[in-house]
PDB file of all heavy atoms in Angstrom:
ATOM      1  N   GLU A   1      19.736-130.908 -22.201  1.00 86.00           N
ATOM      2  CA  GLU A   1      20.334-130.950 -20.876  1.00 86.00           C
ATOM      3  C   GLU A   1      20.635-132.351 -20.427  1.00 86.00           C
ATOM      4  O   GLU A   1      21.636-132.651 -19.856  1.00 86.00           O
ATOM      5  CB  GLU A   1      19.462-130.196 -19.928  1.00 86.00           C
ATOM      6  CG  GLU A   1      19.431-128.684 -20.082  1.00 86.00           C
ATOM      7  CD  GLU A   1      18.369-127.956 -19.379  1.00 86.00           C
ATOM      8  OE1 GLU A   1      17.404-128.606 -18.931  1.00 86.00           O
ATOM      9  OE2 GLU A   1      18.494-126.688 -19.216  1.00 86.00           O
ATOM     10  N   ILE A   2      19.654-133.237 -20.697  1.00 89.00           N
ATOM     11  CA  ILE A   2      19.828-134.636 -20.394  1.00 89.00           C
ATOM     12  C   ILE A   2      21.077-135.205 -21.172  1.00 89.00           C
ATOM     13  O   ILE A   2      21.866-135.980 -20.590  1.00 89.00           O
ATOM     14  CB  ILE A   2      18.549-135.455 -20.651  1.00 89.00           C
ATOM     15  CG1 ILE A   2      17.452-134.938 -19.666  1.00 89.00           C
ATOM     16  CG2 ILE A   2      18.786-136.918 -20.490  1.00 89.00           C
ATOM     17  CD1 ILE A   2      16.081-135.587 -20.012  1.00 89.00           C
ATOM     18  N   ASP A   3      21.079-134.838 -22.434  1.00 88.00           N
ATOM     19  CA  ASP A   3      22.173-135.298 -23.227  1.00 88.00           C
ATOM     20  C   ASP A   3      23.524-134.742 -22.732  1.00 88.00           C
ATOM     21  O   ASP A   3      24.571-135.434 -22.711  1.00 88.00           O
ATOM     22  CB  ASP A   3      22.022-134.925 -24.742  1.00 88.00           C
ATOM     23  CG  ASP A   3      23.128-135.487 -25.591  1.00 88.00           C
ATOM     24  OD1 ASP A   3      23.188-136.722 -25.758  1.00 88.00           O
ATOM     25  OD2 ASP A   3      23.881-134.676 -26.197  1.00 88.00           O
ATOM     26  N   GLN A   4      23.562-133.486 -22.243  1.00 87.00           N
ATOM     27  CA  GLN A   4      24.811-132.889 -21.694  1.00 87.00           C
ATOM     28  C   GLN A   4      25.203-133.661 -20.465  1.00 87.00           C
ATOM     29  O   GLN A   4      26.380-133.877 -20.242  1.00 87.00           O
ATOM     30  CB  GLN A   4      24.567-131.442 -21.383  1.00 87.00           C
ATOM     31  CG  GLN A   4      24.410-130.541 -22.593  1.00 87.00           C
ATOM     32  CD  GLN A   4      25.702-130.486 -23.326  1.00 87.00           C
ATOM     33  OE1 GLN A   4      25.841-131.099 -24.442  1.00 87.00           O
ATOM     34  NE2 GLN A   4      26.696-129.772 -22.815  1.00 87.00           N
ATOM     35  N   ILE A   5      24.236-133.952 -19.555  1.00 87.00           N
ATOM     36  CA  ILE A   5      24.569-134.765 -18.323  1.00 87.00           C
ATOM     37  C   ILE A   5      25.103-136.161 -18.711  1.00 87.00           C
ATOM     38  O   ILE A   5      26.068-136.601 -18.111  1.00 87.00           O
ATOM     39  CB  ILE A   5      23.302-134.841 -17.481  1.00 87.00           C
ATOM     40  CG1 ILE A   5      22.869-133.521 -16.941  1.00 87.00           C
ATOM     41  CG2 ILE A   5      23.484-135.814 -16.332  1.00 87.00           C
ATOM     42  CD1 ILE A   5      21.561-133.524 -16.259  1.00 87.00           C
ATOM     43  N   ARG A   6      24.487-136.712 -19.725  1.00 85.00           N
ATOM     44  CA  ARG A   6      24.975-138.083 -20.147  1.00 85.00           C
ATOM     45  C   ARG A   6      26.395-137.974 -20.661  1.00 85.00           C
ATOM     46  O   ARG A   6      27.255-138.805 -20.418  1.00 85.00           O
ATOM     47  CB  ARG A   6      23.972-138.602 -21.191  1.00 85.00           C
ATOM     48  CG  ARG A   6      24.270-140.000 -21.631  1.00 85.00           C
ATOM     49  CD  ARG A   6      23.184-140.581 -22.457  1.00 85.00           C
ATOM     50  NE  ARG A   6      22.772-139.690 -23.520  1.00 85.00           N
ATOM     51  CZ  ARG A   6      21.774-139.889 -24.355  1.00 85.00           C
ATOM     52  NH1 ARG A   6      20.985-141.003 -24.158  1.00 85.00           N
ATOM     53  NH2 ARG A   6      21.480-139.059 -25.275  1.00 85.00           N
ATOM     54  N   GLN A   7      26.638-136.990 -21.457  1.00 87.00           N
ATOM     55  CA  GLN A   7      28.036-136.836 -22.024  1.00 87.00           C
ATOM     56  C   GLN A   7      29.039-136.508 -20.958  1.00 87.00           C
ATOM     57  O   GLN A   7      30.179-136.912 -20.963  1.00 87.00           O
ATOM     58  CB  GLN A   7      27.990-135.635 -23.099  1.00 87.00           C
ATOM     59  CG  GLN A   7      27.290-136.006 -24.299  1.00 87.00           C
ATOM     60  CD  GLN A   7      27.358-134.899 -25.385  1.00 87.00           C
ATOM     61  OE1 GLN A   7      28.309-134.039 -25.260  1.00 87.00           O
ATOM     62  NE2 GLN A   7      26.449-134.855 -26.348  1.00 87.00           N
ATOM     63  N   GLU A   8      28.545-135.721 -19.943  1.00 86.00           N
ATOM     64  CA  GLU A   8      29.468-135.397 -18.832  1.00 86.00           C
ATOM     65  C   GLU A   8      29.735-136.630 -18.018  1.00 86.00           C
ATOM     66  O   GLU A   8      30.934-136.806 -17.604  1.00 86.00           O
ATOM     67  CB  GLU A   8      28.823-134.335 -17.869  1.00 86.00           C
ATOM     68  CG  GLU A   8      29.683-133.845 -16.816  1.00 86.00           C
ATOM     69  CD  GLU A   8      30.851-133.017 -17.266  1.00 86.00           C
ATOM     70  OE1 GLU A   8      30.714-132.385 -18.401  1.00 86.00           O
ATOM     71  OE2 GLU A   8      31.882-133.044 -16.607  1.00 86.00           O
ATOM     72  N   GLU A   9      28.820-137.513 -17.886  1.00 85.00           N
ATOM     73  CA  GLU A   9      29.118-138.841 -17.117  1.00 85.00           C
ATOM     74  C   GLU A   9      30.075-139.620 -17.953  1.00 85.00           C
ATOM     75  O   GLU A   9      30.929-140.279 -17.412  1.00 85.00           O
ATOM     76  CB  GLU A   9      27.728-139.535 -16.891  1.00 85.00           C
ATOM     77  CG  GLU A   9      26.864-138.868 -15.871  1.00 85.00           C
ATOM     78  CD  GLU A   9      25.511-139.488 -15.769  1.00 85.00           C
ATOM     79  OE1 GLU A   9      25.238-140.421 -16.594  1.00 85.00           O
ATOM     80  OE2 GLU A   9      24.755-139.124 -14.840  1.00 85.00           O
ATOM     81  N   ARG A  10      29.809-139.687 -19.269  1.00 85.00           N
ATOM     82  CA  ARG A  10      30.764-140.491 -20.132  1.00 85.00           C
ATOM     83  C   ARG A  10      32.178-139.897 -20.056  1.00 85.00           C
ATOM     84  O   ARG A  10      33.147-140.640 -20.026  1.00 85.00           O
ATOM     85  CB  ARG A  10      30.232-140.523 -21.541  1.00 85.00           C
ATOM     86  CG  ARG A  10      29.091-141.548 -21.724  1.00 85.00           C
ATOM     87  CD  ARG A  10      28.946-141.869 -23.192  1.00 85.00           C
ATOM     88  NE  ARG A  10      28.554-140.726 -24.019  1.00 85.00           N
ATOM     89  CZ  ARG A  10      27.287-140.531 -24.328  1.00 85.00           C
ATOM     90  NH1 ARG A  10      26.310-141.399 -23.928  1.00 85.00           N
ATOM     91  NH2 ARG A  10      26.997-139.565 -25.113  1.00 85.00           N
ATOM     92  N   ARG A  11      32.191-138.547 -20.018  1.00 86.00           N
ATOM     93  CA  ARG A  11      33.498-137.811 -20.045  1.00 86.00           C
ATOM     94  C   ARG A  11      34.194-138.153 -18.669  1.00 86.00           C
ATOM     95  O   ARG A  11      35.417-138.470 -18.710  1.00 86.00           O
ATOM     96  CB  ARG A  11      33.330-136.373 -20.199  1.00 86.00           C
ATOM     97  CG  ARG A  11      34.609-135.644 -20.374  1.00 86.00           C
ATOM     98  CD  ARG A  11      34.324-134.104 -20.559  1.00 86.00           C
ATOM     99  NE  ARG A  11      33.504-133.889 -21.694  1.00 86.00           N
ATOM    100  CZ  ARG A  11      32.250-133.428 -21.643  1.00 86.00           C
ATOM    101  NH1 ARG A  11      31.716-133.241 -20.519  1.00 86.00           N
ATOM    102  NH2 ARG A  11      31.527-133.251 -22.756  1.00 86.00           N
ATOM    103  N   ALA A  12      33.446-138.141 -17.578  1.00 85.00           N
ATOM    104  CA  ALA A  12      34.033-138.451 -16.296  1.00 85.00           C
ATOM    105  C   ALA A  12      34.483-139.897 -16.282  1.00 85.00           C
ATOM    106  O   ALA A  12      35.568-140.201 -15.718  1.00 85.00           O
ATOM    107  CB  ALA A  12      33.010-138.203 -15.172  1.00 85.00           C
ATOM    108  N   GLY A  13      33.725-140.803 -16.906  1.00 83.00           N
ATOM    109  CA  GLY A  13      34.159-142.217 -16.967  1.00 83.00           C
ATOM    110  C   GLY A  13      35.429-142.380 -17.696  1.00 83.00           C
ATOM    111  O   GLY A  13      36.307-143.170 -17.315  1.00 83.00           O
ATOM    112  N   ARG A  14      35.557-141.628 -18.847  1.00 84.00           N
ATOM    113  CA  ARG A  14      36.835-141.741 -19.604  1.00 84.00           C
ATOM    114  C   ARG A  14      37.932-141.139 -18.910  1.00 84.00           C
ATOM    115  O   ARG A  14      39.076-141.652 -18.869  1.00 84.00           O
ATOM    116  CB  ARG A  14      36.612-140.960 -20.971  1.00 84.00           C
ATOM    117  CG  ARG A  14      35.727-141.747 -21.903  1.00 84.00           C
ATOM    118  CD  ARG A  14      35.843-141.130 -23.350  1.00 84.00           C
ATOM    119  NE  ARG A  14      35.354-139.707 -23.401  1.00 84.00           N
ATOM    120  CZ  ARG A  14      34.142-139.398 -23.605  1.00 84.00           C
ATOM    121  NH1 ARG A  14      33.200-140.386 -23.923  1.00 84.00           N
ATOM    122  NH2 ARG A  14      33.782-138.133 -23.711  1.00 84.00           N
ATOM    123  N   ASN A  15      37.712-140.062 -18.140  1.00 85.00           N
ATOM    124  CA  ASN A  15      38.796-139.497 -17.291  1.00 85.00           C
ATOM    125  C   ASN A  15      39.227-140.388 -16.197  1.00 85.00           C
ATOM    126  O   ASN A  15      40.385-140.420 -15.764  1.00 85.00           O
ATOM    127  CB  ASN A  15      38.334-138.091 -16.734  1.00 85.00           C
ATOM    128  CG  ASN A  15      38.163-137.073 -17.780  1.00 85.00           C
ATOM    129  OD1 ASN A  15      38.692-137.208 -18.907  1.00 85.00           O
ATOM    130  ND2 ASN A  15      37.343-136.060 -17.507  1.00 85.00           N
ATOM    131  N   ASN A  16      38.315-141.202 -15.636  1.00 85.00           N
ATOM    132  CA  ASN A  16      38.622-142.097 -14.592  1.00 85.00           C
ATOM    133  C   ASN A  16      39.066-143.516 -15.037  1.00 85.00           C
ATOM    134  O   ASN A  16      39.357-144.376 -14.252  1.00 85.00           O
ATOM    135  CB  ASN A  16      37.386-142.229 -13.637  1.00 85.00           C
ATOM    136  CG  ASN A  16      37.683-142.819 -12.280  1.00 85.00           C
ATOM    137  OD1 ASN A  16      38.750-142.413 -11.697  1.00 85.00           O
ATOM    138  ND2 ASN A  16      36.882-143.698 -11.773  1.00 85.00           N
ATOM    139  N   GLU A  17      39.081-143.648 -16.349  1.00 85.00           N
ATOM    140  CA  GLU A  17      39.406-144.972 -16.869  1.00 85.00           C
ATOM    141  C   GLU A  17      40.803-145.474 -16.586  1.00 85.00           C
ATOM    142  O   GLU A  17      40.966-146.650 -16.266  1.00 85.00           O
ATOM    143  CB  GLU A  17      39.245-144.898 -18.449  1.00 85.00           C
ATOM    144  CG  GLU A  17      39.444-146.247 -19.164  1.00 85.00           C
ATOM    145  CD  GLU A  17      39.111-146.154 -20.596  1.00 85.00           C
ATOM    146  OE1 GLU A  17      38.636-145.085 -21.042  1.00 85.00           O
ATOM    147  OE2 GLU A  17      39.364-147.157 -21.299  1.00 85.00           O
ATOM    148  N   GLN A  18      41.759-144.546 -16.520  1.00 85.00           N
ATOM    149  CA  GLN A  18      43.122-144.957 -16.160  1.00 85.00           C
ATOM    150  C   GLN A  18      43.195-145.470 -14.701  1.00 85.00           C
ATOM    151  O   GLN A  18      43.894-146.458 -14.437  1.00 85.00           O
ATOM    152  CB  GLN A  18      44.081-143.790 -16.427  1.00 85.00           C
ATOM    153  CG  GLN A  18      45.543-144.163 -16.172  1.00 85.00           C
ATOM    154  CD  GLN A  18      46.445-142.989 -16.533  1.00 85.00           C
ATOM    155  OE1 GLN A  18      46.026-141.917 -16.789  1.00 85.00           O
ATOM    156  NE2 GLN A  18      47.761-143.240 -16.571  1.00 85.00           N
ATOM    157  N   HIS A  19      42.456-144.738 -13.817  1.00 86.00           N
ATOM    158  CA  HIS A  19      42.455-145.160 -12.378  1.00 86.00           C
ATOM    159  C   HIS A  19      41.807-146.539 -12.238  1.00 86.00           C
ATOM    160  O   HIS A  19      42.276-147.397 -11.562  1.00 86.00           O
ATOM    161  CB  HIS A  19      41.726-144.103 -11.590  1.00 86.00           C
ATOM    162  CG  HIS A  19      41.623-144.467 -10.133  1.00 86.00           C
ATOM    163  ND1 HIS A  19      42.683-144.495  -9.278  1.00 86.00           N
ATOM    164  CD2 HIS A  19      40.527-144.888  -9.413  1.00 86.00           C
ATOM    165  CE1 HIS A  19      42.316-144.816  -8.028  1.00 86.00           C
ATOM    166  NE2 HIS A  19      40.961-145.058  -8.069  1.00 86.00           N
ATOM    167  N   VAL A  20      40.697-146.757 -12.941  1.00 86.00           N
ATOM    168  CA  VAL A  20      40.016-148.003 -12.940  1.00 86.00           C
ATOM    169  C   VAL A  20      40.900-149.114 -13.504  1.00 86.00           C
ATOM    170  O   VAL A  20      40.911-150.262 -12.933  1.00 86.00           O
ATOM    171  CB  VAL A  20      38.680-147.964 -13.735  1.00 86.00           C
ATOM    172  CG1 VAL A  20      38.025-149.270 -13.790  1.00 86.00           C
ATOM    173  CG2 VAL A  20      37.758-146.905 -13.036  1.00 86.00           C
ATOM    174  N   GLN A  21      41.537-148.791 -14.581  1.00 87.00           N
ATOM    175  CA  GLN A  21      42.458-149.786 -15.198  1.00 87.00           C
ATOM    176  C   GLN A  21      43.544-150.200 -14.284  1.00 87.00           C
ATOM    177  O   GLN A  21      43.927-151.323 -14.155  1.00 87.00           O
ATOM    178  CB  GLN A  21      42.960-149.277 -16.540  1.00 87.00           C
ATOM    179  CG  GLN A  21      43.796-150.351 -17.281  1.00 87.00           C
ATOM    180  CD  GLN A  21      44.321-149.792 -18.593  1.00 87.00           C
ATOM    181  OE1 GLN A  21      44.611-148.608 -18.667  1.00 87.00           O
ATOM    182  NE2 GLN A  21      44.430-150.623 -19.600  1.00 87.00           N
ATOM    183  N   ARG A  22      44.045-149.179 -13.549  1.00 88.00           N
ATOM    184  CA  ARG A  22      45.165-149.464 -12.620  1.00 88.00           C
ATOM    185  C   ARG A  22      44.660-150.334 -11.502  1.00 88.00           C
ATOM    186  O   ARG A  22      45.396-151.343 -11.140  1.00 88.00           O
ATOM    187  CB  ARG A  22      45.608-148.073 -12.009  1.00 88.00           C
ATOM    188  CG  ARG A  22      46.663-148.227 -10.942  1.00 88.00           C
ATOM    189  CD  ARG A  22      47.120-146.915 -10.457  1.00 88.00           C
ATOM    190  NE  ARG A  22      48.014-146.988  -9.350  1.00 88.00           N
ATOM    191  CZ  ARG A  22      48.469-145.976  -8.630  1.00 88.00           C
ATOM    192  NH1 ARG A  22      48.095-144.743  -8.982  1.00 88.00           N
ATOM    193  NH2 ARG A  22      49.362-146.128  -7.692  1.00 88.00           N
ATOM    194  N   GLY A  23      43.464-150.132 -10.949  1.00 89.00           N
ATOM    195  CA  GLY A  23      42.991-151.000  -9.937  1.00 89.00           C
ATOM    196  C   GLY A  23      42.720-152.448 -10.510  1.00 89.00           C
ATOM    197  O   GLY A  23      42.932-153.439  -9.768  1.00 89.00           O
ATOM    198  N   ARG A  24      42.244-152.475 -11.741  1.00 89.00           N
ATOM    199  CA  ARG A  24      41.965-153.801 -12.295  1.00 89.00           C
ATOM    200  C   ARG A  24      43.194-154.616 -12.490  1.00 89.00           C
ATOM    201  O   ARG A  24      43.277-155.834 -12.206  1.00 89.00           O
ATOM    202  CB  ARG A  24      41.253-153.596 -13.650  1.00 89.00           C
ATOM    203  CG  ARG A  24      40.646-154.798 -14.233  1.00 89.00           C
ATOM    204  CD  ARG A  24      39.630-154.534 -15.352  1.00 89.00           C
ATOM    205  NE  ARG A  24      40.259-153.748 -16.416  1.00 89.00           N
ATOM    206  CZ  ARG A  24      39.948-152.544 -16.738  1.00 89.00           C
ATOM    207  NH1 ARG A  24      39.035-151.839 -16.034  1.00 89.00           N
ATOM    208  NH2 ARG A  24      40.539-151.867 -17.758  1.00 89.00           N
ATOM    209  N   ILE A  25      44.286-154.022 -13.008  1.00 91.00           N
ATOM    210  CA  ILE A  25      45.459-154.835 -13.249  1.00 91.00           C
ATOM    211  C   ILE A  25      46.150-155.189 -11.868  1.00 91.00           C
ATOM    212  O   ILE A  25      46.729-156.205 -11.743  1.00 91.00           O
ATOM    213  CB  ILE A  25      46.458-154.066 -14.113  1.00 91.00           C
ATOM    214  CG1 ILE A  25      46.864-152.725 -13.503  1.00 91.00           C
ATOM    215  CG2 ILE A  25      45.837-153.873 -15.530  1.00 91.00           C
ATOM    216  CD1 ILE A  25      47.920-152.000 -14.398  1.00 91.00           C
ATOM    217  N   ASN A  26      46.014-154.306 -10.888  1.00 91.00           N
ATOM    218  CA  ASN A  26      46.557-154.692  -9.602  1.00 91.00           C
ATOM    219  C   ASN A  26      45.816-155.773  -8.955  1.00 91.00           C
ATOM    220  O   ASN A  26      46.314-156.676  -8.265  1.00 91.00           O
ATOM    221  CB  ASN A  26      46.566-153.445  -8.623  1.00 91.00           C
ATOM    222  CG  ASN A  26      47.601-152.416  -9.021  1.00 91.00           C
ATOM    223  OD1 ASN A  26      48.721-152.821  -9.489  1.00 91.00           O
ATOM    224  ND2 ASN A  26      47.373-151.182  -8.829  1.00 91.00           N
ATOM    225  N   LEU A  27      44.469-155.797  -9.231  1.00 90.00           N
ATOM    226  CA  LEU A  27      43.627-156.940  -8.666  1.00 90.00           C
ATOM    227  C   LEU A  27      44.057-158.228  -9.336  1.00 90.00           C
ATOM    228  O   LEU A  27      44.210-159.266  -8.669  1.00 90.00           O
ATOM    229  CB  LEU A  27      42.186-156.683  -8.972  1.00 90.00           C
ATOM    230  CG  LEU A  27      41.159-157.760  -8.684  1.00 90.00           C
ATOM    231  CD1 LEU A  27      41.179-158.119  -7.180  1.00 90.00           C
ATOM    232  CD2 LEU A  27      39.763-157.413  -9.188  1.00 90.00           C
ATOM    233  N   ILE A  28      44.345-158.172 -10.604  1.00 92.00           N
ATOM    234  CA  ILE A  28      44.815-159.375 -11.312  1.00 92.00           C
ATOM    235  C   ILE A  28      46.100-159.878 -10.697  1.00 92.00           C
ATOM    236  O   ILE A  28      46.319-161.083 -10.479  1.00 92.00           O
ATOM    237  CB  ILE A  28      44.877-159.175 -12.774  1.00 92.00           C
ATOM    238  CG1 ILE A  28      43.459-158.846 -13.390  1.00 92.00           C
ATOM    239  CG2 ILE A  28      45.543-160.338 -13.557  1.00 92.00           C
ATOM    240  CD1 ILE A  28      43.512-158.451 -14.887  1.00 92.00           C
ATOM    241  N   GLU A  29      46.964-158.977 -10.497  1.00 91.00           N
ATOM    242  CA  GLU A  29      48.319-159.393  -9.951  1.00 91.00           C
ATOM    243  C   GLU A  29      48.164-159.941  -8.542  1.00 91.00           C
ATOM    244  O   GLU A  29      48.833-160.967  -8.168  1.00 91.00           O
ATOM    245  CB  GLU A  29      49.250-158.108  -9.923  1.00 91.00           C
ATOM    246  CG  GLU A  29      49.649-157.713 -11.264  1.00 91.00           C
ATOM    247  CD  GLU A  29      50.466-158.818 -11.961  1.00 91.00           C
ATOM    248  OE1 GLU A  29      51.331-159.462 -11.291  1.00 91.00           O
ATOM    249  OE2 GLU A  29      50.181-159.027 -13.197  1.00 91.00           O
ATOM    250  N   THR A  30      47.286-159.366  -7.717  1.00 92.00           N
ATOM    251  CA  THR A  30      47.091-159.881  -6.393  1.00 92.00           C
ATOM    252  C   THR A  30      46.501-161.300  -6.458  1.00 92.00           C
ATOM    253  O   THR A  30      46.937-162.229  -5.669  1.00 92.00           O
ATOM    254  CB  THR A  30      46.057-158.993  -5.597  1.00 92.00           C
ATOM    255  OG1 THR A  30      46.632-157.657  -5.554  1.00 92.00           O
ATOM    256  CG2 THR A  30      45.858-159.479  -4.168  1.00 92.00           C
ATOM    257  N   ILE A  31      45.498-161.524  -7.321  1.00 91.00           N
ATOM    258  CA  ILE A  31      44.933-162.863  -7.435  1.00 91.00           C
ATOM    259  C   ILE A  31      46.037-163.886  -7.864  1.00 91.00           C
ATOM    260  O   ILE A  31      46.120-164.988  -7.406  1.00 91.00           O
ATOM    261  CB  ILE A  31      43.825-162.851  -8.469  1.00 91.00           C
ATOM    262  CG1 ILE A  31      42.656-162.005  -7.907  1.00 91.00           C
ATOM    263  CG2 ILE A  31      43.293-164.217  -8.820  1.00 91.00           C
ATOM    264  CD1 ILE A  31      41.484-161.778  -8.926  1.00 91.00           C
ATOM    265  N   LYS A  32      46.905-163.480  -8.776  1.00 91.00           N
ATOM    266  CA  LYS A  32      47.954-164.349  -9.270  1.00 91.00           C
ATOM    267  C   LYS A  32      48.883-164.691  -8.144  1.00 91.00           C
ATOM    268  O   LYS A  32      49.364-165.800  -7.940  1.00 91.00           O
ATOM    269  CB  LYS A  32      48.725-163.711 -10.394  1.00 91.00           C
ATOM    270  CG  LYS A  32      47.976-163.615 -11.726  1.00 91.00           C
ATOM    271  CD  LYS A  32      48.820-162.957 -12.797  1.00 91.00           C
ATOM    272  CE  LYS A  32      48.119-162.951 -14.158  1.00 91.00           C
ATOM    273  NZ  LYS A  32      48.935-162.281 -15.189  1.00 91.00           N
ATOM    274  N   ASN A  33      49.231-163.661  -7.229  1.00 91.00           N
ATOM    275  CA  ASN A  33      50.091-163.964  -6.086  1.00 91.00           C
ATOM    276  C   ASN A  33      49.501-164.940  -5.122  1.00 91.00           C
ATOM    277  O   ASN A  33      50.196-165.826  -4.578  1.00 91.00           O
ATOM    278  CB  ASN A  33      50.412-162.624  -5.389  1.00 91.00           C
ATOM    279  CG  ASN A  33      51.267-161.737  -6.273  1.00 91.00           C
ATOM    280  OD1 ASN A  33      52.010-162.157  -7.162  1.00 91.00           O
ATOM    281  ND2 ASN A  33      51.204-160.418  -5.985  1.00 91.00           N
ATOM    282  N   VAL A  34      48.203-164.710  -4.865  1.00 92.00           N
ATOM    283  CA  VAL A  34      47.525-165.717  -3.950  1.00 92.00           C
ATOM    284  C   VAL A  34      47.518-167.117  -4.524  1.00 92.00           C
ATOM    285  O   VAL A  34      47.810-168.103  -3.886  1.00 92.00           O
ATOM    286  CB  VAL A  34      46.110-165.263  -3.670  1.00 92.00           C
ATOM    287  CG1 VAL A  34      45.361-166.312  -2.838  1.00 92.00           C
ATOM    288  CG2 VAL A  34      46.069-163.942  -2.950  1.00 92.00           C
ATOM    289  N   MET A  35      47.288-167.221  -5.852  1.00 92.00           N
ATOM    290  CA  MET A  35      47.294-168.496  -6.520  1.00 92.00           C
ATOM    291  C   MET A  35      48.694-169.078  -6.482  1.00 92.00           C
ATOM    292  O   MET A  35      48.875-170.356  -6.281  1.00 92.00           O
ATOM    293  CB  MET A  35      46.807-168.395  -7.966  1.00 92.00           C
ATOM    294  CG  MET A  35      45.278-168.202  -8.167  1.00 92.00           C
ATOM    295  SD  MET A  35      44.438-169.706  -7.572  1.00 92.00           S
ATOM    296  CE  MET A  35      45.149-170.979  -8.593  1.00 92.00           C
ATOM    297  N   GLN A  36      49.638-168.285  -6.702  1.00 90.00           N
ATOM    298  CA  GLN A  36      51.044-168.772  -6.627  1.00 90.00           C
ATOM    299  C   GLN A  36      51.433-169.333  -5.256  1.00 90.00           C
ATOM    300  O   GLN A  36      52.041-170.392  -5.067  1.00 90.00           O
ATOM    301  CB  GLN A  36      52.000-167.664  -7.005  1.00 90.00           C
ATOM    302  CG  GLN A  36      53.456-168.196  -7.148  1.00 90.00           C
ATOM    303  CD  GLN A  36      54.393-167.071  -7.601  1.00 90.00           C
ATOM    304  OE1 GLN A  36      53.885-165.875  -7.730  1.00 90.00           O
ATOM    305  NE2 GLN A  36      55.616-167.385  -7.889  1.00 90.00           N
ATOM    306  N   GLU A  37      50.954-168.608  -4.186  1.00 90.00           N
ATOM    307  CA  GLU A  37      51.150-169.056  -2.806  1.00 90.00           C
ATOM    308  C   GLU A  37      50.472-170.349  -2.585  1.00 90.00           C
ATOM    309  O   GLU A  37      51.032-171.312  -1.952  1.00 90.00           O
ATOM    310  CB  GLU A  37      50.665-167.914  -1.848  1.00 90.00           C
ATOM    311  CG  GLU A  37      50.890-168.339  -0.368  1.00 90.00           C
ATOM    312  CD  GLU A  37      50.263-167.272   0.523  1.00 90.00           C
ATOM    313  OE1 GLU A  37      49.997-166.163   0.059  1.00 90.00           O
ATOM    314  OE2 GLU A  37      50.152-167.557   1.746  1.00 90.00           O
ATOM    315  N   ALA A  38      49.203-170.471  -3.054  1.00 89.00           N
ATOM    316  CA  ALA A  38      48.467-171.654  -2.841  1.00 89.00           C
ATOM    317  C   ALA A  38      49.123-172.836  -3.570  1.00 89.00           C
ATOM    318  O   ALA A  38      49.129-174.000  -3.057  1.00 89.00           O
ATOM    319  CB  ALA A  38      47.044-171.475  -3.289  1.00 89.00           C
ATOM    320  N   GLN A  39      49.623-172.618  -4.764  1.00 89.00           N
ATOM    321  CA  GLN A  39      50.210-173.740  -5.535  1.00 89.00           C
ATOM    322  C   GLN A  39      51.516-174.189  -4.880  1.00 89.00           C
ATOM    323  O   GLN A  39      51.805-175.393  -4.788  1.00 89.00           O
ATOM    324  CB  GLN A  39      50.535-173.162  -6.938  1.00 89.00           C
ATOM    325  CG  GLN A  39      49.317-172.996  -7.811  1.00 89.00           C
ATOM    326  CD  GLN A  39      49.537-172.384  -9.138  1.00 89.00           C
ATOM    327  OE1 GLN A  39      50.738-171.976  -9.351  1.00 89.00           O
ATOM    328  NE2 GLN A  39      48.629-172.291 -10.015  1.00 89.00           N
ATOM    329  N   ILE A  40      52.277-173.275  -4.301  1.00 89.00           N
ATOM    330  CA  ILE A  40      53.501-173.644  -3.540  1.00 89.00           C
ATOM    331  C   ILE A  40      53.136-174.509  -2.309  1.00 89.00           C
ATOM    332  O   ILE A  40      53.664-175.531  -2.087  1.00 89.00           O
ATOM    333  CB  ILE A  40      54.302-172.410  -3.118  1.00 89.00           C
ATOM    334  CG1 ILE A  40      54.817-171.724  -4.353  1.00 89.00           C
ATOM    335  CG2 ILE A  40      55.417-172.806  -2.236  1.00 89.00           C
ATOM    336  CD1 ILE A  40      55.486-170.398  -4.102  1.00 89.00           C
TER     337      ILE A  40
END
């Protein structure tokens, strides 16, 4: 049962991976925009 819970958590993490990746790449783009504004 512990292994099933662990696998379920990993499965949920894999299912949420696309959403996390989307937030991560948007964060990178936001940082780049702030840096570009500061450089100007």
